[in-house]
Each structure stands twice: as structure tokens, then as C-alpha cells.
Amino acid sequence: MKHFLSLDQHRRDELEIILDLSDKLKRERRENEFLPLKGQTWAMIFSKTSTRTRVSFEVGVRELGGQVIFLSASDMQLGRGEPIKDTARVLGRMVHGAIIRTYAHQDVKDFAAFSNIHTVNALTDHAHPCQIVADLMTIREKMGNMDDKVITFVGDGACNVATSWIFAAKKFGFQLRIAAPKSFSPDPLILQNENHNIIVTDDIKAAVADADVVYTDVWVSMGKEEESLNRQELLSGFQIDMSLMKLAKPGALLMHCLPAYRGMEVTEEVLEFHAKTIFDQAENRLHAQKAILAWLVS
Ligand code: CP
Ligand code: NVA
């Protein structure tokens, strides 16, 4: 049974198949003849809020011929303490796949193990693999081959999006620089890497110098709201503005997984200047999500 839980669980060639399929589904979106989920019903179980991931998966399942049920975890018995393994065994007998957004990564792993249906990680505290597929798609679309590119992640280097970037760098070999305060550095175990293509620093200017892509995420991830003030203080030197972007390569992309908080991780000016890239990136969530689903059932 194929699942999509974290990029480190997949070979590079599998990810390339998904990326190529994302491009194809984008080109052929209006043709509507590719229906690999026909006759299937997929459940989406979300414990955290979502705009892009929710809409792209709901539209994606429908465009691939399937039906979708959106379940807010707080409306399910799960929210009253029913174990994930019991929820998984019930849904496994009723639906064909599940797309889950939650806190503990172990919960999506347990769901996959107990449900015996395709399971997709739509974001956990640990990883956000679907986001990075759309991001890689966007970089390939705008810059061609990404192997020789320098991608700089700025902000909370220990967050789910940064972790998925680390896994992607290990698979694809591009240079990943993470600019983060020391207290928001990635877990050294996740960083272990014999290719030496990942650099972690708290020197934001050095990390952005000559980068092809500068990438950021919110300073306060979902579930970390109590740390909000402390995070704003510690990350205040890691805001991306127009002058910082001038240090990157001419024509460098600014990317953001969104939602964006102006005045925190980005200024209004820099976000609007790079809005075309950032909203192309958001649109690509749909095409990438469809490719992940189609790959799972192939
Ligand atoms: N980038 C992303 O996952 O956005 P949502 O939280 O809106 O789904
Ligand atoms: N790191 C962010 C990503 C939002 C898409 C969070 O987990 O809230």
C-alpha cells in the first residue's frame, strides 16, 4: 500500500515521476479525461486550519473523478479521545484513501499502518511534504533544472516546512542554506547527510548572498501560538525585505508557502513585488496534489 507521509520515505525517481505528472496535469487541466480516482471516496481529516491544502485536495480529488468527505477532527469521535488506530480501522473499511493534517507525525504513521488505505500527510508538526512537491514544481517551472541551484530557507529552521526542505535537498542534491537563529536550528539527526550540500547559519546575509531562491515560512507555526512573543523576538532579525533580496542572484525568486504575515517574516513591499511567483506556487499546490494522488493509486 503506497502512502505519502514524508519525502525521506521516497526515492528521487519516484519524486521525479510525481513532479513530471504535476507538470502534465497542469498543462492538461481542462481536458478532464484523466480520472484515476473514479468510483473512489477519499476522507480528509484535519485537526488544524487550512486554506491551500484543503481546497487543492478537495478540488484535486474531484477533478480526478473521486468524491471527498471533509472531516474536521474536532467533529469526529477522534476529538473526544477515540484512538487514531480505531478511527483508521473504521475508515479503512469505508473509504479508499485519507488525507490527514494533524499535530503528531506518529498519528499519520499509525493511521497508515492501521487503515490499510492510501494515506497522505497534509502537514504535521514534523513535515509538510505536499508543500515541497509544489515548491519543487514551481522552481523547475521557472528555473529549469534545480540541481545546480542554491535555495535559502530563512526563519524557523526547525519547522515542518524547513524539515521537508532538508529531505528534498538530500534527495536532489541542490545546495540548501538554512538561515535561522541558533535556537531554531534543525534537529542535528535530521541534518545528518554525507553530501555536505546543507548549510545552517545564523548569518542571514551570507545565507542569502547569490541564492537562486529565497524561501520563508511563518515564524509561529500552528500549535506554537503560546510561543508567539518569544518567537517574534528571536526571529526579528530574519525578516525578508527588498534590501535583503538584493543580495540574492539577479532575478532570484522569493517563495513563501503561505499564509504570510506582513511585518513579520516578510515586508508588504517584498511580498507584493514577488506576488506572481508566490501565487503561482500556491496554484501549483493543486497540480502537485493531483499528481501525488494519481501516483498513489497507480
Ligand atoms: N501552505 C499551506 O499548507 O497552506 P494552508 O495552511 O492554507 O493549507
Ligand atoms: N509551518 C507552518 C506551515 C503552514 C502552511 C505551520 O505549520 O503552521
Side-chain angles (χ1 to χ4, degrees), residues 24-41:
K24 182 172 154 61
L25 291 172
K26 183 170 186 173
R27 280 193 309 272
E28 298 174 1
R29 181 170 181 207
R30 301 290 161 205
E31 292 173 19
N32 239 356
E33 280 165 6
F34 181 57
L35 304 171
L37 301 190
K38 194 165 181 209
Q40 297 199 3
T41 300

Side-chain angles (χ1 to χ4, degrees), residues 222-235:
M222 290 179 278
K224 308 279 185 202
E225 290 78 8
E226 281 179 8
E227 301 171 14
S228 195
L229 284 178
N230 188 38
R231 284 173 168 265
Q232 284 177 47
E233 195 181 311
L234 291 170
L235 284 153

Side-chain angles (χ1 to χ4, degrees), residues 48 101 123 128 159-161 217-218 220-222 257-259:
K48 292 176 175 171
R101 170 169 284 201
L123 181 149
H128 195 6
C159 79
N160 42 17
V161 172
D217 183 9
V218 297
V220 185
S221 285
M222 290 179 278
C257 56
L258 300 176

Side-chain angles (χ1 to χ4, degrees), residues 248-295:
K249 273 212 186 112
L253 305 178
L254 172 63
M255 298 179 69
H256 194 312
C257 56
L258 300 176
Y261 290 85
R262 277 101 162 154
M264 295 227 248
E265 74 277 4
V266 278
T267 60
E268 167 79 13
E269 188 186 14
V270 83
L271 185 123
E272 292 302 338
F273 189 83
H274 292 273
K276 170 82 172 78
T277 303
I278 291 167
F279 291 98
D280 283 351
Q281 177 189 1
E283 177 196 325
N284 284 342
R285 295 295 306 279
L286 170 65
H287 313 298
Q289 248 66 280
K290 286 171 69 179
I292 291 166
L293 294 168
W295 175 78

